[in-house]
């Protein structure tokens, strides 16, 4: 009976193990199969096959080498039996199948090593497919590709080889102990002859490998942070480099000594050799470089480090593409009149008054319509609206299931009914109503266009917030949008998603998604499709995990449909002599633009910088992944813009690396900082911002990205950087430098002048006491060789969280003015400026239009009210006099009589 029970337990255990293995295989198979279906549906099945096969052969190669090398050494060790020593030291006999156990254990170690190494396929494939940079480093004359592609591969090989050798030494020592070949008591160790030779050869092999490691460390000096700047400095070149050369030779010599020692029973030569290696490593790697730095470099640092500072400047500028920046002198004049400013084509009418953060809150209050809709972000772009090139802000109305009531969050609702967001909102960047609300070019559900911008397909199946999988084309109608007290319903008519009409696909997805409802729901039909990876960033990363994505994807309306554009970067942290960014990389290019169709889910990778060796290398690895930039539809290419993240990284680097003279760089004589501003109630670093500007009169207004600089620990403005975004000039970087002998107000100085202005500060204090005021981004705007400063003011109730744009502050020259409108603030700020006549007047002044006079009358009336509330009686009287003059001219034009 006991035997039967024991056999039953064993049978159940075996059955449980078999079922567990089958379950793991089934789940893994379902994942692999559904992943393959997803890539095939998007047309990138070649990419996933390349990744899988690369992971497989890299893991298999490492696993096989580990298994063979470790297994061969352990198997050899277990065959060397020393029965006399076993008996003398009381070591038990090994089991008869110990050799087989050794190979099983080695295979297990090899499997783990292969599995962990398979994720290194990008390092291996980049090494095998590398494209040279055509740029040699100044110390070893190696192409930069050696550091970006080859050195990481060599370090990977070194780490793997070192690990397997250490495991072999330790494992063999343990086996020799079990066989009696290695025994000891106290400080005395006895080795059998075979054990001594075997272990000596393994240790010698490790030392040879260590010598190669020292040799590789020589190249790592180009990433040293020991000296004044990034990269090899004087102490690295004159102390550490010779020490590494000596260590390489000493390690090889010690390897020879180890082999020689195996022939004798004396360990003295080995101990002396190892001691020499440790001593050289300590002295050459630590003490000697520190002494050279302290007694040779520090007393003459600039003289000693000058050539290495020059290397750091040169290679950092190349790595961040700063060498392509064009510098131009910019001497602003503060004499432009209101009329001259307003005549700047397309510039003033596109000054952005709406900041994306307050506008997002306003969109949420006015245009989310229902609780389950959310605007993830508001993005700035430019469109041709009614024949005019306009800067606009856009928000996409996405579905947020977290806002559904708990009782409504059923499987059918979350997976079959609430599948997509709906529509978008577009508003001009500089227009707002008298109530402080944005004007709209596109609004409401269904989308209503007021400016000829038509949205013909408003549904958002793929976006920034679409993090859950859904099933479309089911027998359940999808919620489309609310219409009054009823809902509109829809059945997906696109090509997105993977068919699950057949039972194999349906079963595979049910297993993968852990959703038994997929198997048993009667709503699933023959045309049903499951949508995976609907978040656009996750979708992109799934196909190209080696690309770094910009934090701000933005929507584009093209031919009535919504697309997403994501900027993708190729980066490396192994570019020689280049300073690392805060994010850890020291080489970056915006080589790829990714376009995702918000309705169909199609994704396309466009190569925008074919000169980048990193993206060329990836192009060799994945030949069909990237398309030329010229293939991007013209309507989408019109909305390509220089990315904010890249511009910010470059701007921070350029703040120091615009100094190309090593002496100036060392002393930080001309160090810049990115300007600061007051946003809300906090002092923050300014973010790069897009605006319309005329850089070249022959080109006209164009879309640029801009950021101002101030001198280090100063608040005046010293320069501004711009990136061009339009047409053939896309990607050009410009820096306009102000004359150092003149004071050009920086943003914080304008903020201080705002706080010091009697009338403005009084209003700010009044609103601030009630926690109503919110100060928007201060924009520094170059216009016709002049500098304007524009800051919007928002009022919002703490209860409603609905920001209202109520005031605009303009700084120009020494004047700071605030008004209800941009035009009024501009007029007040330039009140003392007069447009010089181009010819003597020969007749009456040009007749103004009625709308202009009405608008001016409204501005003066509001100004008079504000001056009255502030107790500014002189200003109040002046505003009334000007209002009377305007009303008189208006009566004359409309045929009335003056009372």
């Amino acid at each position: 009976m006991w035997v039967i029970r024991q056999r039953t337990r064993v049978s159940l255990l075996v059955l449980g193990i078999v079922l567990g293995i089958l379950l793991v295989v089934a789940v893994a198979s379902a994942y692999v199969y559904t992943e393959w279906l997803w890539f095939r549906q998007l047309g990138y099945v070649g990419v996933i096959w390349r990744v899988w096969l690369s992971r497989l052969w890299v893991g298999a190669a490492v696993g096989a080498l580990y298994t063979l090398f470790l297994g061969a050494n352990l198997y050899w060790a277990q065959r060397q039996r020393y029965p006399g020593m076993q008996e003398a030291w009381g070591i038990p006999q090994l089991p008869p199948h110990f050799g087989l156990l050794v190979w099983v254990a080695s295979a297990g170690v090899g499997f783990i090593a292969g599995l962990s190494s398979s994720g290194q396929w990008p390092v291996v494939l980049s090494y095998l497919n590398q494209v040279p940079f055509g740029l040699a480093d100044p110390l070893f004359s190696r192409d930069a590709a050696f550091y970006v592609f080859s050195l990481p591969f060599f370090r990977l090989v070194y780490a793997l080889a070192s690990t397997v050798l250490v495991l072999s030494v330790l494992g063999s020592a343990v086996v020799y102990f079990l066989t009696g070949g290695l025994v000891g008591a106290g400080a005395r160790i006895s080795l059998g002859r075979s054990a001594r030779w075997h272990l000596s050869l393994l240790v010698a092999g490790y030392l040879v490998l260590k010598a190669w490691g020292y040799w590789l460390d020589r190249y790592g000096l180009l990433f040293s942070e020991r000296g004044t700047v990034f990269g090899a400095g004087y102490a690295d070149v004159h102390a550490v480099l010779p020490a590494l050369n000596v260590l390489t030779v000493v390690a090889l010599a010690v390897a020879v000594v180890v082999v020689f020692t195996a022939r004798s029973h004396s360990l003295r030569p080995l101990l002396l050799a190892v001691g020499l290696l440790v001593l050289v490593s300590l002295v050459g790697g630590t003490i000697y470089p520190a002494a050279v730095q302290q007694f040779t470099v520090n007393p003459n640092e600039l003289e000693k480090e000058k050539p290495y500072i020059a290397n750091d400047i040169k290679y950092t500028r190349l790595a961040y593409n700063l060498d392509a920046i064009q510098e131009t002198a910019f001497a602003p004049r503060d004499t432009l009149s209101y009329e001259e400013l307003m005549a700047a084509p397309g510039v003033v009418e596109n000054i952005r008054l709406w900041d994306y953060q307050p506008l997002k809150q306003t969109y949420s209050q006015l245009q989310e319509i229902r609780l389950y809709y959310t605007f993830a972000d508001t993005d700035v772009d430019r469109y041709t609206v009614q024949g005019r090139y306009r800067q606009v802000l856009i928000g996409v109305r996405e579905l947020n299931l977290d806002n559904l009531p708990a009782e409504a969050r059923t499987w059918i609702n979350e997976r079959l009914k609430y599948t997509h967001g709906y529509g978008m909102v577009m508003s001009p960047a500089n227009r707002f109503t008298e109530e402080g609300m944005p004007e709209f070019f596109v609004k409401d559900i269904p989308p209503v266009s007021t400016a000829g911008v038509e949205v013909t397909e408003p549904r958002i199946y793929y976006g920034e917030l679409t993090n859950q999988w859904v099933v479309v084309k089911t027998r359940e109608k999808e919620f489309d949008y609310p219409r009054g007290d009823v809902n509109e319903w829809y059945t997906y008519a696109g090509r997105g998603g993977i068919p699950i009409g057949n039972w194999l696909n349906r079963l595979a997805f049910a297993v993968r998604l852990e959703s038994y409802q997929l198997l048993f729901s009667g709503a699933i039909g023959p045309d049903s499709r499951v949508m995976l990876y609907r978040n656009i960033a996750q979708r992109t990363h799934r196909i190209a995990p080696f690309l770094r994505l910009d934090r701000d994807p933005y929507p584009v309306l093209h031919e009535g449909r919504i697309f997403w554009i994501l900027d993708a970067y190729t980066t490396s942290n192994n570019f020689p002599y280049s300073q690392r960014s805060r994010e850890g990389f020291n080489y970056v290019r915006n080589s790829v633009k990714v376009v995702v169709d918000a309705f169909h889910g199609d994704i396309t990778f466009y190569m925008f910088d074919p000169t980048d060796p990193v993206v060329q290398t990836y192009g060799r690895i994945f030949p069909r992944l990237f398309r030329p930039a010229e293939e991007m539809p013209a309507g989408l290419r019109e909305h390509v813009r220089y990315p904010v993240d890249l511009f910010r990284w470059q701007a921070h680097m350029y703040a120091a690396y615009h100094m190309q003279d090593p002496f100036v760089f060392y002393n930080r004589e001309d160090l810049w900082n990115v300007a600061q501003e007051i946003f809300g109630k906090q002092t923050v670093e300014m973010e790069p911002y897009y605006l319309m500007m005329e850089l070249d009169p022959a080109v006209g207004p164009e879309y640029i990205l801009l950021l101002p600089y101030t001198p280090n620990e100063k608040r005046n403005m010293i320069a501004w950087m711009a990136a061009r975004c339009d047409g053939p000039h896309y990607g050009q970087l410009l820096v306009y430098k102000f004359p150092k002998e003149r004071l050009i107000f920086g943003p914080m100085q304008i903020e201080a002048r705002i706080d010091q202005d009697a009338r403005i500060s009084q209003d700010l204090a009044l609103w601030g006491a009630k926690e109503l005021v919110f100060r928007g981004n201060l924009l520094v705007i170059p216009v016709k060789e002049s500098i304007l400063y524009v800051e919007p003011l928002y009022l919002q109730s703490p209860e409603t969280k609905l920001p209202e744009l109520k005031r605009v502050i303009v700084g120009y020259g020494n004047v700071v003015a605030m008004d209800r409108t941009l035009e009024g603030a501009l007029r007040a700020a330039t009140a003392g400026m007069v447009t010089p006549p181009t010819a003597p007047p020969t007749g009456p002044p040009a007749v103004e239009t009625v709308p202009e006079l009405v608008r001016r009358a409204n501005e003066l009336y509001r100004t008079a009210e504000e001056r009255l509330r502030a107790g500014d009686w002189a200003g109040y009287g002046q505003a009334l006099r000007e209002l009377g003059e305007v009303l008189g001219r208006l009566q004359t034009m409309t045929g009335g009589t003056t009372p």
Side-chain angles (χ1 to χ4, degrees):
M1 181 65 70
W2 180 85
V3 174
I4 295 174
R5 289 177 180 174
Q6 188 68 16
R7 288 178 177 177
T8 302
R9 289 175 186 154
V10 172
S11 300
L12 290 175
L13 177 62
V14 171
L15 179 61
I17 293 174
V18 171
L19 290 177
I21 293 174
L22 291 176
L23 180 62
V24 171
V25 171
V27 172
S29 300
Y31 176 84
V32 170
Y33 177 61
T34 54
E35 198 77 355
W36 175 77
L37 289 174
W38 185 79
F39 275 88
R40 187 184 68 167
Q41 189 267 330
L42 288 174
Y44 292 106
V45 69
V47 172
I48 195 59
W49 273 121
R50 181 69 160 165
V51 171
W52 282 346
L53 292 176
S54 300
R55 293 180 71 102
L56 180 63
W57 73 260
V58 169
V62 172
L65 291 174
Y66 261 62
T67 301
L68 292 174
F69 190 85
L70 182 60
N73 281 281
L74 299 185
Y75 186 76
W76 171 267
Q78 67 89 28
R79 292 194 61 180
Q80 313 306 309
R81 305 297 174 95
Y82 302 87
M85 297 295 291
Q86 285 179 306
E87 292 178 6
W89 292 91
I91 301 173
Q93 294 292 323
L94 295 177
H97 300 295
F98 188 72
L100 178 61
L101 293 176
V102 161
W103 280 108
V104 172
S106 299
V109 173
F111 177 78
I112 295 172
L115 192 64
S116 62
S117 301
S118 63
Q120 299 296 323
W121 64 267
V123 176
V124 178
L125 292 189
S126 296
Y127 169 72
L128 296 175
N129 295 276
Q130 62 183 276
V131 174
F133 280 72
L135 174 71
D137 78 89
L139 189 57
F140 301 107
S141 299
R142 290 272 196 171
D143 189 272
F146 171 81
Y147 299 93
V148 174
F149 304 120
S150 299
L151 191 57
F153 173 75
F154 293 151
R155 284 174 169 167
L156 174 64
V157 172
Y158 173 77
L160 291 172
S162 299
T163 303
V164 74
L165 273 169
V166 170
L167 290 175
S168 297
V169 171
L170 296 177
S172 298
V174 170
V175 172
Y176 278 124
F177 174 77
L178 297 175
T179 60
L182 186 156
V183 293
R188 181 172 171 266
I189 298 176
S190 176
L191 281 170
R193 184 172 182 277
S194 296
R196 187 167 62 250
W197 273 103
H198 184 196
L199 293 177
S200 296
L201 288 175
L202 285 176
V203 172
Y206 177 79
L207 288 168
V208 171
L209 190 64
K210 189 66 177 176
W212 185 48
Y214 287 132
W215 189 257
L216 292 179
D217 288 342
R218 298 162 66 252
Y219 300 109
L221 293 177
L222 272 70
F223 315 113
S224 170
E225 300 184 45
R226 181 181 291 105
T228 305
V229 292
F230 189 85
Y234 184 92
D236 295 309
V237 174
H238 293 86
V240 181
L241 180 58
L244 289 173
N245 291 332
V246 172
L247 282 168
T248 302
V249 175
V250 171
L252 292 174
V254 173
V256 174
V257 171
V258 169
V259 176
F260 173 77
T261 305
R263 302 181 58 184
S264 66
H265 292 280
S266 174
L267 295 177
R268 180 173 296 177
L270 173 61
L271 295 177
L272 289 175
V274 173
L276 177 62
L277 180 62
V278 173
L279 180 64
V280 172
S281 177
L282 179 63
V283 174
T286 305
I287 298 175
Y288 180 53
V292 170
Q293 182 70 35
Q294 182 68 30
F295 300 108
T296 303
V297 178
N298 289 350
N300 309 281
E301 192 168 45
L302 177 58
E303 176 189 349
K304 298 297 184 182
E305 299 284 14
K306 185 176 180 180
Y308 309 106
I309 295 174
N311 290 337
D312 176 58
I313 293 172
K314 174 183 176 181
Y315 286 87
T316 299
R317 289 173 61 88
L318 289 169
Y320 291 91
N321 205 30
L322 306 182
D323 58 316
I325 294 177
Q326 304 173 27
E327 290 190 353
T328 305
F330 187 84
R333 56 189 180 94
D334 303 326
T335 59
L336 292 181
S337 67
Y338 171 79
E339 289 74 18
E340 288 177 297
L341 286 173
M342 295 301 292
V347 177
V348 174
E349 71 171 350
N350 282 297
I351 292 176
R352 179 170 61 84
L353 300 180
W354 284 103
D355 297 328
Y356 66 92
Q357 293 183 22
L359 185 62
K360 179 178 179 294
Q361 296 182 45
T362 303
Y363 277 1
S364 297
Q365 293 289 334
L366 300 180
Q367 285 292 310
E368 282 186 355
I369 312 296
R370 293 290 189 273
L371 287 175
Y372 38 77
Y373 286 129
T374 299
F375 291 98
D377 194 12
T378 53
D379 295 282
V380 184
D381 204 347
R382 71 283 196 197
Y383 285 77
T384 300
V385 180
Q386 295 178 335
R388 298 161 62 192
Y389 199 38
R390 300 293 300 273
Q391 185 171 209
V392 301
L393 288 105
I394 298 176
V396 171
R397 192 182 291 105
E398 297 194 56
L399 197 64
N400 186 358
L401 294 181
D402 292 337
N403 292 334
L404 279 177
E407 59 273 13
R409 300 197 63 177
T410 63
W411 185 86
I412 289 180
N413 280 346
E414 290 189 341
R415 303 303 181 188
L416 309 184
K417 283 189 174 295
Y418 290 93
T419 58
H420 59 275
Y422 197 92
M424 63 183 295
V425 176
M426 179 188 294
S427 57
N430 69 322
R431 304 301 300 172
F432 58 98
T433 66
E434 290 189 2
E435 294 78 22
M437 298 292 104
E439 295 182 1
F440 291 102
F441 287 158
V442 179
K443 62 179 181 178
D444 296 342
I445 298 178
V448 176
S449 173
T450 61
V453 182
E454 299 297 335
V455 183
T456 57
E457 181 47 76
R459 296 170 182 88
I460 313 298
Y461 282 88
Y462 302 87
E464 295 183 81
L465 300 178
T466 47
N467 298 315
Q468 71 286 343
W469 59 270
V470 296
V471 183
V472 296
K473 293 189 175 182
T474 66
R475 295 185 178 98
E476 289 281 347
K477 292 288 187 180
E478 303 169 44
F479 167 75
D480 204 22
Y481 61 88
R483 183 188 292 273
D485 295 331
V486 299
N487 293 330
E488 295 292 328
W489 303 93
Y490 177 73
T491 298
Y492 182 65
R495 55 179 174 267
I498 305 161
I500 56 171
N502 64 73
W503 276 100
L504 176 60
N505 289 7
R506 195 166 172 178
L507 176 61
F509 277 106
V511 172
R512 173 177 176 165
L513 301 174
E514 300 178 5
S515 177
Y516 67 88
Q517 294 93 337
L518 281 178
L519 285 177
F520 303 112
S521 174
I524 307 298
D527 298 323
S528 297
R529 305 169 78 90
V530 61
M531 292 182 172
L532 295 180
Y533 304 131
R534 298 198 300 140
N535 181 288
I536 55 175
Q538 182 190 27
R539 195 174 187 81
T540 304
H541 182 76
R542 202 70 196 170
I543 297 173
F546 43 82
L547 296 177
R548 183 188 185 103
L549 298 181
D550 192 270
R551 293 176 296 175
D552 186 26
Y554 58 98
V556 172
L557 184 63
H558 171 57
E559 295 181 348
R561 293 167 50 207
I562 299 170
F563 295 81
W564 296 94
I565 295 182
L566 298 88
D567 286 285
Y569 307 107
T570 54
T571 60
S572 173
N573 58 358
N574 289 307
F575 198 83
Y577 265 115
S578 174
Q579 177 66 47
R580 287 201 171 104
S581 67
R582 299 172 184 174
E583 291 74 14
F585 56 79
N586 65 354
Y587 173 89
V588 61
R589 290 292 186 274
N590 176 217
S591 299
V592 179
K593 306 281 187 182
V594 185
V595 176
V596 181
D597 190 318
F599 183 69
H600 296 294
D602 299 337
I603 181 169
T604 311
F605 296 79
Y606 295 99
M607 187 187 295
F608 265 71
D609 186 1
T611 65
D612 172 27
V614 179
V615 80
Q616 290 181 42
T617 298
Y618 290 138
R620 286 184 175 183
I621 298 172
F622 303 103
R624 297 183 181 180
L625 178 59
F626 302 114
R627 295 186 185 181
E630 293 74 20
E631 293 186 10
M632 179 182 283
L636 289 176
R637 190 155 186 173
E638 291 175 356
H639 296 278
V640 166
R641 67 188 192 187
Y642 202 85
V644 170
D645 280 354
L646 176 61
F647 189 76
R648 183 186 294 111
W649 297 327
Q650 291 174 315
H652 279 106
M653 283 296 169
Y654 197 75
Y657 285 90
H658 71 277
M659 298 179 286
Q660 299 187 56
D661 184 288
F663 179 84
V664 176
F665 188 93
Y666 174 80
N667 290 298
R668 294 296 195 262
E669 293 181 8
D670 194 21
L671 183 64
W672 298 347
N673 288 326
V674 173
Q676 294 183 317
E677 63 169 337
I678 296 178
F679 184 71
K681 297 181 180 180
Q682 296 181 336
T683 300
V684 297
E685 183 181 278
M686 293 186 71
E687 294 185 359
Y689 52 92
Y690 295 97
L691 54 81
M692 296 288 193
M693 180 181 169
E694 186 180 79
L695 292 171
D696 184 353
V699 176
E702 55 182 301
Y703 201 53
I704 68 166
L705 185 60
L706 186 143
L707 191 63
Y709 287 109
T710 60
N712 188 39
E713 298 183 356
K714 301 289 184 182
R715 292 194 167 188
N716 60 292
M717 197 156 54
I718 191 66
W720 52 277
M721 178 186 284
R724 304 175 80 172
C725 299
D726 287 344
H729 306 293
Y730 172 82
Q732 290 183 8
L733 293 174
L734 308 168
V735 168
Y736 290 84
K737 302 173 72 172
F738 297 114
K740 295 182 179 180
E741 63 275 9
R742 282 182 56 190
L743 173 63
I744 308 298
F745 289 126
M748 285 303 295
Q749 290 175 320
I750 295 296
E751 299 280 20
R753 291 179 63 84
I754 291 172
D755 292 334
Q756 293 164 6
D757 184 275
R759 188 171 68 87
I760 298 176
S761 62
Q762 182 179 8
D763 287 343
L764 291 178
L766 175 64
W767 295 325
K770 299 180 180 179
E771 297 185 354
L772 296 175
V773 67
F774 185 92
R775 296 170 71 159
N777 290 126
L778 177 66
L779 304 183
V780 179
I781 305 171
V783 182
K784 285 191 172 182
E785 299 182 358
S786 292
I787 296 293
L788 278 179
Y789 306 85
V790 178
E791 181 175 280
L793 284 183
Y794 306 91
L795 298 183
Q796 75 172 14
S797 167
E799 293 79 20
T800 62
K801 298 296 184 182
L802 177 60
E804 301 175 0
L805 206 168
K806 287 296 188 180
R807 297 290 188 275
V808 179
I809 300 174
V810 170
Y812 183 64
N814 293 317
V815 181
V816 174
M818 183 173 74
D819 197 83
R820 292 177 179 271
T821 66
L822 174 62
E823 292 80 2
L826 282 172
R827 190 183 295 275
T830 58
M833 311 300 173
V834 179
T835 305
T838 56
T842 57
V847 178
E848 296 171 285
T849 64
V850 171
E852 289 176 348
L853 289 174
V854 171
R855 184 168 56 251
R856 178 60 180 155
N858 287 328
E859 292 174 3
L860 289 169
Y861 176 72
R862 287 191 292 266
T863 300
E865 284 185 322
E866 292 168 1
R867 302 280 170 84
L868 179 61
R869 285 196 300 270
D872 181 5
W873 298 104
Y876 176 67
Q878 176 65 28
L880 286 182
R881 284 192 295 274
E882 292 185 21
L883 178 59
E885 294 174 2
V886 171
L887 292 176
R889 295 200 300 273
L890 184 60
Q891 282 185 321
T892 301
M893 293 183 64
T894 56
T897 58
T898 304

